[in-house]
Amino acid sequence: MSEINKRVGFYPGCSLNGTASEYKTSVLSLANAFGIELEEVPDWNCCGATAAHNLNKNLSLALPARVLANAAEAGMKDILVPCASCYNRLALTLHALQDESVRAEVEALIAKPLDAGIRVMNMIQFVQEYIQPHLDEKIQRPFFAKTACYYGCLLVRPHEVLHFDRTEDPQSMDEVMQTLGVGTIDWPYKTECCGAGLTMSRTDLVSKLSGNIVADAAERGAQAIVVACPMCHANLDMRGQQSSGKDTAPIPILYLSQALGMAIGLDEKQTGIGHHLTPVKPELLCAKQPEQIVQPEFKKEV
Amino acid sequence: MARIGVFVCHCGENIAATVDCGKVALQASKLPGVAVAIDYKYMCSDPGQTKIKEAIKEHNLTGVVVSACSPRMHEGTFRKACSEAGLNAYLCEMANIREQCSWVHEKSEQTTQKAYELVRTLVEKVKLNHPLDPIKVPVNKTAVVIGGGVAGIQASLDIANAGHHVVLVEREPSIGGHMSQLSETFPTLDCSQCILTPRMVEVAQHPNITLYSYSEVEAVDGFIGNFNVTIRRKARYVDEKTCTGCGTCTTKCPTKDIPNEFEQNLTTRRAIYVPFPQAVPNKPVIDREHCRYFNTGKCKVCQAVCPIDAIHFDQEDERIQLNAGAIVLATGFDIKRTDFFPEYGYGKYPDVIDGLQFERLASASGPTQGEIRRPSDGQIPKTIVFVACSGSRDAAKGIPYCSKICCMYTAKHTMLYKHKVHDGIPYVFYMDIRAAGKNYDEFTRRAIEEDGARYIRGRVSTIFEEKGQLIVRGADTLLGGRPVEIKADMVVLATAAIANTGAATLAQTLHVSYDAYHFFSEAHPKLKPVETNTAGIFLAGACQAPKDIPESVAAASGAAAKVIGLFSNNELTRDPLVASVKRTPAPPFSTCMGCMMCVSVCPYQAIGQEEIRDRQGKVIKVIAYINPGLCQGCGTCVSVCKSKSIDLEGYSNLQLLAEVEASLHS
Amino acid sequence: MNHEAQLASKIATETNIIVAKCYQCGKCSAGCPLATDMDVTSSAILRLLQYNTEATDTEVLRSNAIWLCLSCDMCYSRCPNQIDIPGVMDLLRQESVRQGCTNAAARNIVRFHRSFLDVVQQTGRSFEMGMVLDYKWRSKRWFDDLALAPRMFLKGKLRLLPEVVKKRKEILRLFKRTLFLRKNV
């Protein structure tokens, strides 16, 4: 365990506490390995996700605003938001609050003061700033499998608000993965939507969209898809294989934090790769652990 | 004795790869009359030309045959070289053994033989060449500009400012053309007359410009540098010199109901009138056709009220003849006004108007003082539908071309309308939005985004009247052809731009070609947009094809530049390879019988008559005379002449016969 | 055809998006992942909004397309005129619910959103089990994804109990103030 020398705010969001619990585990393990303490925003609430902005504009601003207000109250400056959807909503809210009249209205709704000095970071940004500077020295299991980095819609769009990477053919996640030892593929579905929140109400459409994404990555030689969003993960992991129908084994979907965790030698419990619906076989992806041969625990398929 | 020099070029590998140039030279050197024959890699190069010049001096050559590429490439080069060496340029000929031999045959004995035979024919021809001097034609540095719209005005000013005399002929009582009828111009929405009238005044006051308004060009004779132009100055019945332009006569004339052409028939004028307040010259004119005095012999009120006695009913048309070195055609365009769209009701419904009529409505000096009002009842329309492409791009209506300016002026009209009627709604039915000029696309976007013009992509099928409103039935092709019906208070049709009236007649008068739509033809669609095929006559503005104001002005300056370039010479040099009627000693003086058959076949109207007189001045005989300034050397007259009296310099009958014989000789 | 207070004006006032800027190039529809499944594509929706009539506005509000829109922002990032189409879609969705004219085929999508927000209103956070049960009850789709549930449970992805924020009252007050009330679709 490294010494804890940094504190960063942390907004897990509802997914990380629920169906994407392994994402949370891997993020915490990863942060810990680099001496970063992630402090949760006190009494945080749901950001509203898709449902709020579809049905009520004020609600879609007020819910994230309460989170930001609570963070400000706790003296936080940087907040890691591993879920791309939450990240997007929080960033959009911060942007909207730059307008004085909007800010006044929202402050009245949540009855709390809002501080403009907060910065929300997505998983990739967090890695770039806090992890990557010290990554090289910690790599124990370099990757040899080619991966496809899937950004989805909400990490890079709208650019005018997020100012992160670029909207066409982004490279930030690719560069991180390349540090782990292997090339990433160039592919056209990098930022094509997986189907997002329609996963229950229009499963057919999500299957189509996610299926196309997984099929394309596989056809271009990727052996895993790396994501930075629990919604994308769920859709690609659950639905993506439903429509592929290929003879080849379905390719696993990894969270960026899991890939990094694997590379620096964290075990399966720490990375949480056993919780996926599509099985992950580390020995197909990265080199063996140098000191000891760890037999990964596999949970049997149901 | 003939001493011909033959110079065979290798042209690198172009000729040498298939023709044995050395052998050709060797064989040529054996021809009778050939003093020297050499071959060389690049005859047109400096050393190559030097070889020719040295040979001319060394062997005292009387003629040169360069067998190389096409004369279109280097005839000029070698003629100049010979001239520099002291040999008359026209004693130099080229045998084309490249395009006509080495480039079209495989390497073989026959190919070399053909090259030799080509050389042989030219050798025989050149023996019959005689020295010629280029023809010099004096240039009269006066330009006649026909048409006083913005193009004619620009051309006149440019030529006059270069120090040359300009005669500007305009058939309307005032210069200004269509631009003076516009309200505001795109894309800046400058007031049209505000930017034009200073130029008009400049024309009137320029010491180098003579303005003949209310005048027409009746006849044009002559050739470049020496045109004879006959201008008919129509009688105004007003003495321009004494008239002060006070305008009293125009307020007292009892004949008030004549359709006003300037106002596009939206209102009337009197028989004595000034077309618009800023007219140049600002002097009235009497419309003889409608004047009460000229029709019935009674009235003369205008004369009675004129404080200066400037009105003279006995004035007559005046004919003026003048010489000019160049002519610029700037007669502009018109818009189609017939009811060629019965489905739109133009001409039937007073509230269906054309673009120029809308300009007059919008114009502050127009019939409604700048208020947009319906011609039927004078009400302000709350909804106007503008129909683009009314007649243009319509093969069925005989106008397949695009009129270019309508997309822009339609957008402009929507903006003018909205600026004056804030709660009005303009609709535009369009096919495309052609806004290719500088700041043009931004202009059309402004009409849509800032001024609220509602653009619907689709043509209008029919317009009919119902309860005082006009029902417009169009479609929105962006929604799959969904039908759209709009109840409009007014409809403005962007009718096609067409050649101005009388364009074809004028073109024939000037011997200038025109196309199927009576737009004047440019000499080359890409590279010579302001020249015609008639030397000395240039084009400026929309008379060549529909164009907007900046393009017209640019073309006018381009034509002016051509004129100024022409006038920078005191003389013009022409190739002397022209036809001439042979003269013989008396008594026949010439074998020409005066049948004048040649006159009717000459495509350049270069043949006239010549009178042969005795010492007392009595005419003995009239024969044909070919003007060396106009003749293009086509040879048509030579072939037609029954008595073989005409021959062509450089391509005489004997020369050609010698070539034929030499090529048949084995 | 002089309706000034139509959707286009409302969009302009509430979101600062000017629909007149759309010159119908079609790039948005071309890049939309679900364009082939939509009844009216995004560029057609903009076109209809430009008409500014009650009939065309209703056509837009009744469409299935506005509910299929994933707000993925692909159109927005590529529009040559930088028109925030997902922003327009949000307003159309809200307006469609407010006027009670949601497309029949889209009702389940709206129900899903409502179920989601219901749970948030109750606990301050979303809770899959509760939301799924709520949704199934609203939509009467009991048997969808049934096979998935045990797998998800065994993978530790399904919590049986919700997490509740401490200051529930703040959340409730928020919902009340934004006038978002519980309503069955």
Side-chain angles (χ1 to χ4, degrees):
Chain A
M1 291 296 160
S2 325
E3 261 191 53
I4 289 170
N5 50 20
K6 278 207 177 77
R7 291 178 124 87
V8 176
F10 181 47
Y11 175 71
C14 311
S15 290
L16 264 72
N17 274 17
T19 47
S21 53
E22 73 272 20
Y23 191 14
K24 186 172 182 182
T25 312
S26 65
V27 169
L28 290 170
S29 311
L30 185 70
N32 200 23
F34 282 83
I36 299 162
E37 182 182 325
L38 294 176
E39 200 184 315
E40 279 193 26
V41 175
D43 205 33
W44 56 266
N45 54 275
C46 175
C47 69
T50 310
H53 74 79
N54 271 14
L55 295 186
N56 187 303
K57 185 175 182 181
N58 286 341
L59 187 65
S60 74
L61 288 174
L63 286 170
R66 183 177 175 276
V67 174
L68 294 168
N70 284 6
E73 206 174 25
M76 295 176 179
K77 288 288 169 203
D78 279 355
I79 308 178
L80 164 60
V81 187
C83 168
S85 179
C86 302
Y87 160 73
N88 196 285
R89 293 315 309 167
L90 287 172
L92 278 173
T93 304
L94 273 174
H95 185 79
L97 291 175
Q98 287 172 356
D99 180 333
E100 277 307 312
S101 56
V102 172
R103 185 207 198 81
E105 216 179 303
V106 174
E107 274 182 345
L109 279 175
I110 62 172
K112 286 171 196 261
L114 286 160
D115 170 16
I118 288 193
R119 183 168 74 126
V120 295
M121 307 172 78
N122 61 47
M123 191 67 217
I124 307 172
Q125 276 171 315
F126 176 76
V127 168
Q128 281 175 332
E129 285 185 40
Y130 289 93
I131 310 283
Q132 204 150 11
H134 313 288
L135 183 54
D136 274 336
E137 65 227 31
K138 288 200 192 292
I139 295 180
Q140 293 187 20
R141 303 181 67 180
F143 265 65
F144 51 76
K146 277 212 161 135
T147 55
C149 290
Y150 177 66
Y151 294 73
C153 356
L154 303 174
L155 285 174
V156 294
R157 298 195 287 259
H159 188 78
E160 298 80 32
V161 172
L162 304 178
H163 297 294
F164 171 65
D165 206 339
R166 60 188 193 201
T167 56
E168 303 295 341
D169 191 25
Q171 291 289 326
S172 50
M173 203 190 327
D174 291 69
E175 277 162 19
V176 172
M177 286 308 294
Q178 279 156 18
T179 323
L180 299 186
V182 76
T184 54
I185 62 161
D186 177 42
W187 61 312
Y189 280 82
K190 256 186 183 177
T191 55
E192 294 284 324
C193 187
C194 64
L198 291 183
T199 194
M200 292 213 72
S201 43
R202 284 301 298 267
T203 315
D204 60 318
L205 295 178
V206 173
S207 291
K208 175 174 89 159
L209 294 177
S210 291
N212 285 342
I213 293 166
V214 174
D216 188 77
E219 233 175 85
R220 287 171 198 268
Q223 282 152 303
I225 300 179
V226 185
V227 302
C229 168
M231 183 88 256
C232 302
H233 187 278
N235 282 345
L236 296 181
D237 194 36
M238 270 202 283
R239 312 285 187 199
Q241 318 301 341
Q242 282 174 339
S243 72
S244 301
K246 287 194 190 301
D247 304 314
T248 49
I251 55 176
I253 318 294
L254 290 177
Y255 285 105
L256 181 61
S257 47
Q258 289 176 325
L260 286 164
M262 284 162 68
I264 64 170
L266 297 181
D267 66 35
E268 207 190 282
K269 197 149 166 262
Q270 292 167 304
T271 58
I273 52 178
H275 293 273
H276 296 184
L277 291 178
T278 310
V280 183
K281 299 193 171 88
E283 66 273 16
L284 292 180
L285 300 174
C286 48
K288 283 210 176 94
Q289 191 84 13
E291 289 102 83
Q292 44 179 161
I293 295 162
V294 174
Q295 294 290 341
E297 267 175 56
F298 273 127
K299 289 219 164 102
K300 277 226 159 139
E301 294 284 329
V302 174
Chain B
M1 278 296 13
R3 283 186 301 282
I4 313 292
V6 174
F7 304 90
V8 184
C9 183
H10 294 216
C11 197
E13 285 299 300
N14 279 301
I15 298 176
T18 36
V19 169
D20 185 344
C21 298
K23 191 168 175 190
V24 171
L26 184 62
Q27 284 179 296
S29 68
K30 298 191 183 120
L31 285 169
V34 172
V36 61
I38 60 169
D39 62 295
Y40 183 63
K41 227 170 165 51
Y42 297 107
M43 272 306 170
C44 56
S45 67
D46 222 29
Q49 291 186 42
T50 306
K51 281 187 191 299
I52 298 176
K53 291 183 201 174
E54 281 169 1
I56 290 173
K57 293 192 186 108
E58 199 186 311
H59 297 272
N60 223 348
L61 297 178
T62 58
V64 159
V65 173
V66 181
S67 32
C69 50
S70 160
R72 272 177 170 268
M73 283 279 310
H74 279 307
E75 185 173 72
T77 314
F78 294 121
R79 282 200 173 156
K80 188 157 168 269
C82 289
S83 181
E84 282 166 11
L87 183 69
N88 183 285
Y90 296 94
L91 295 174
C92 170
E93 293 278 354
M94 283 189 75
N96 184 350
I97 61 170
R98 189 180 76 172
E99 280 86 336
Q100 291 182 1
C101 187
S102 74
W103 271 0
V104 295
H105 297 301
E106 305 285 340
K107 181 176 174 151
S108 74
E109 283 285 325
Q110 287 170 301
T111 310
T112 303
Q113 179 64 15
K114 176 175 169 179
Y116 163 67
E117 283 174 13
L118 284 171
V119 170
R120 188 174 65 201
T121 56
L122 265 302
V123 166
E124 290 311 311
K125 185 202 182 193
V126 101
K127 285 178 186 172
L128 296 171
N129 278 24
H130 53 265
L132 294 170
D133 288 314
I135 300 169
K136 299 243 188 261
V137 169
V139 176
N140 182 314
K141 298 186 189 184
T142 298
V144 170
V145 177
I146 308 177
V150 67
I153 289 170
Q154 182 66 44
S156 303
L157 287 172
D158 283 345
I159 300 170
N161 285 334
H164 303 296
H165 187 222
V166 176
V167 174
L168 176 54
V169 183
E170 165 58 52
R171 74 174 169 196
E172 297 299 319
S174 166
I175 55 174
H178 283 308
M179 190 173 167
S180 60
Q181 291 175 300
L182 304 181
S183 164
E184 284 158 57
T185 56
F186 54 78
T188 48
L189 294 184
D190 275 314
C191 152
S192 186
Q193 286 199 3
C194 306
I195 57 177
L196 181 64
T197 45
R199 294 278 176 99
M200 288 164 60
V201 170
E202 212 186 321
V203 162
Q205 294 177 344
H206 204 292
N208 284 348
I209 301 179
T210 304
L211 171 59
Y212 291 138
S213 61
Y214 208 48
S215 307
E216 292 192 57
V217 168
E218 254 192 351
V220 173
D221 262 317
F223 52 97
I224 179 174
N226 297 276
F227 289 108
N228 293 319
V229 183
T230 307
I231 300 170
R232 182 160 74 92
R233 299 199 66 197
K234 298 183 285 194
R236 278 180 183 254
Y237 307 107
V238 172
D239 186 341
E240 271 185 68
K241 293 194 191 61
T242 24
C243 170
T244 58
C246 74
T248 312
C249 53
T250 63
T251 60
K252 300 293 183 204
C253 172
T255 312
K256 300 181 200 174
D257 54 357
I258 306 164
N260 187 327
E261 298 91 349
F262 186 80
E263 301 293 359
Q264 298 295 294
N265 299 343
L266 286 173
T267 184
T268 54
R269 60 164 171 82
R270 311 210 188 209
I272 184 168
Y273 68 104
V274 175
F276 56 101
Q278 298 79 16
V280 168
N282 204 335
K283 307 280 160 75
V285 65
I286 294 181
D287 173 6
R288 191 198 168 103
E289 223 182 289
H290 293 104
C291 167
R292 207 169 280 204
Y293 170 73
F294 280 111
N295 282 327
T296 64
K298 299 194 179 76
C299 186
K300 288 202 193 179
V301 169
C302 51
Q303 195 179 58
V305 303
C306 176
I308 248 182
D309 194 28
I311 297 180
H312 305 290
F313 288 99
D314 56 356
Q315 228 184 51
E316 284 187 0
D317 290 355
E318 195 190 329
R319 261 192 191 73
I320 295 180
Q321 289 234 348
L322 51 90
N323 288 330
I327 299 175
V328 177
L329 279 169
T331 50
F333 73 107
D334 205 354
I335 57 167
K336 205 164 163 84
R337 284 195 201 82
T338 61
D339 63 343
F340 62 104
F341 266 122
E343 61 262 47
Y344 288 172
Y346 180 65
K348 188 159 66 164
Y349 307 123
D351 296 324
V352 176
I353 61 175
D354 61 55
L356 261 180
Q357 288 176 315
F358 188 85
E359 292 282 347
R360 293 316 304 152
L361 288 177
S363 178
S365 58
T368 54
Q369 281 78 53
E371 291 187 345
I372 311 291
R373 290 187 179 277
R374 289 164 29 116
S376 60
D377 56 13
Q379 293 299 309
I380 295 183
K382 291 298 176 196
T383 305
I384 300 186
V385 169
F386 296 87
V387 183
C389 285
S390 289
S392 314
R393 305 177 63 187
D394 195 330
K397 300 289 184 201
I399 300 184
Y401 58 82
C402 165
S403 293
K404 201 165 194 186
I405 52 178
C406 336
C407 281
M408 286 304 291
Y409 78 60
T410 298
K412 177 186 74 172
H413 286 172
T414 64
M415 291 161 83
L416 296 183
Y417 172 55
K418 274 301 269 196
H419 295 171
K420 291 170 194 283
V421 183
H422 298 302
D423 59 344
I425 301 194
Y427 291 91
V428 178
F429 280 97
Y430 70 99
M431 295 299 293
D432 291 293
I433 302 180
R434 295 183 168 183
K438 189 167 182 175
N439 290 322
Y440 281 19
D441 204 86
E442 296 92 319
F443 181 78
T444 57
R445 292 310 306 166
R446 182 179 146 194
I448 297 169
E449 292 174 24
E450 290 178 37
D451 287 300
R454 301 184 188 194
Y455 271 64
I456 302 174
R457 203 261 169 201
R459 276 200 195 263
V460 170
S461 177
T462 177
I463 301 172
F464 58 90
E465 204 223 339
E466 200 177 79
K467 294 183 196 139
Q469 282 195 302
L470 295 158
I471 312 298
V472 180
R473 290 205 177 139
D476 188 332
T477 65
L478 291 171
L479 287 174
R482 187 186 288 219
V484 175
E485 189 178 288
I486 300 175
K487 289 191 175 59
D489 298 315
M490 183 189 274
V491 170
V492 182
L493 303 177
T495 56
I498 56 174
N500 216 337
T501 50
T505 314
L506 183 64
Q508 285 160 17
T509 306
L510 266 64
H511 314 301
V512 160
S513 15
Y514 54 94
D515 66 16
Y517 310 105
H518 296 189
F519 288 109
F520 301 140
S521 302
E522 60 291 326
H524 189 281
K526 287 289 203 185
L527 299 177
K528 294 187 178 184
V530 296
E531 297 164 77
T532 61
N533 270 323
T534 311
I537 302 184
F538 305 98
L539 296 174
C543 60
Q544 180 247 351
K547 45 175 75 69
D548 56 25
I549 292 166
E551 287 171 336
S552 300
V553 169
S557 290
K562 298 283 181 195
V563 171
I564 295 165
L566 177 60
F567 288 1
S568 66
N569 306 301
N570 287 324
E571 285 177 329
L572 287 179
T573 307
R574 301 193 68 234
D575 242 4
L577 303 176
V578 294
S580 59
V581 177
K582 286 188 288 211
R583 300 294 292 270
T584 62
F589 298 96
S590 173
T591 46
C592 170
M593 304 167 300
C595 74
M596 301 306 168
M597 205 46 173
C598 49
V599 175
S600 54
V601 302
C602 174
Y604 303 99
Q605 279 91 34
I607 307 182
Q609 292 180 348
E610 198 182 354
E611 291 170 342
I612 300 180
R613 293 169 185 271
D614 63 17
R615 284 179 208 278
Q616 280 75 47
K618 199 175 92 186
V619 175
I620 305 169
K621 192 176 184 181
V622 175
I623 60 171
Y625 170 70
I626 299 171
N627 186 333
L630 274 177
C631 174
Q632 302 287 334
C634 70
T636 312
C637 55
V638 178
S639 54
V640 141
C641 180
K642 287 185 278 206
S643 57
K644 290 274 156 271
S645 306
I646 306 181
D647 214 348
L648 191 56
E649 289 287 6
Y651 300 94
S652 69
N653 292 321
L654 281 178
Q655 280 171 312
L656 291 178
L657 193 57
E659 279 197 58
V660 170
E661 281 187 348
S663 64
L664 292 174
H665 186 266
S666 61
Chain C
M1 291 185 90
N2 237 342
H3 304 266
E4 283 309 310
Q6 295 298 350
L7 267 184
S9 314
K10 187 163 195 180
I11 291 171
T13 325
E14 293 188 22
T15 66
N16 287 329
I17 301 167
I18 311 292
V19 300
K21 279 187 190 269
C22 171
Y23 56 34
Q24 291 293 293
C25 69
K27 198 167 180 183
C28 51
S29 302
C32 173
L34 290 182
T36 48
D37 301 283
M38 288 180 175
D39 46 2
V40 222
T41 59
S42 48
S43 56
I45 287 180
L46 262 295
R47 182 77 198 113
L48 289 168
L49 287 171
Q50 287 175 344
Y51 266 90
N52 242 356
T53 67
E54 231 176 279
T56 45
D57 284 348
T58 310
E59 201 178 329
V60 168
L61 293 176
R62 281 192 191 281
S63 70
N64 195 11
I66 59 176
W67 294 106
L68 290 186
C69 166
L70 301 160
S71 287
C72 76
D73 276 7
M74 188 65 100
C75 51
Y76 186 16
S77 72
R78 290 183 177 161
C79 172
N81 291 320
Q82 295 173 294
I83 300 172
D84 183 1
I85 299 148
V88 173
M89 292 293 189
D90 269 347
L91 189 139
L92 294 175
R93 291 185 270 243
Q94 290 155 24
E95 206 43 35
S96 161
V97 169
R98 195 179 70 79
Q99 291 188 23
C101 55
T102 29
N103 187 298
R107 298 230 168 103
N108 277 344
I109 299 176
V110 186
R111 284 174 187 137
F112 182 85
H113 291 320
R114 285 199 178 279
S115 302
F116 184 96
L117 290 173
D118 265 357
V119 176
V120 176
Q121 185 180 334
Q122 302 281 317
T123 66
R125 296 187 185 171
S126 105
F127 165 52
E128 282 90 5
M129 193 71 115
M131 177 188 71
V132 166
L133 287 175
D134 190 315
Y135 171 63
K136 284 186 185 295
W137 184 74
R138 279 181 195 266
S139 64
K140 317 287 184 244
R141 281 169 47 169
W142 301 106
F143 298 104
D144 281 359
D145 289 329
L146 267 191
L148 217 40
R151 278 185 76 197
M152 287 179 64
F153 180 68
L154 287 172
K155 291 281 181 188
K157 285 178 177 286
L158 273 188
R159 252 186 308 110
L160 290 174
L161 288 173
E163 283 181 352
V164 184
V165 306
K166 294 194 193 68
K167 305 231 170 102
R168 267 188 59 183
K169 283 210 181 80
E170 281 179 11
I171 306 294
L172 198 54
R173 193 175 51 199
L174 237 164
F175 272 78
K176 279 207 179 118
R177 282 187 182 161
T178 54
L179 299 175
F180 194 85
L181 304 165
R182 192 178 180 163
K183 215 160 122 185
N184 281 333
V185 175

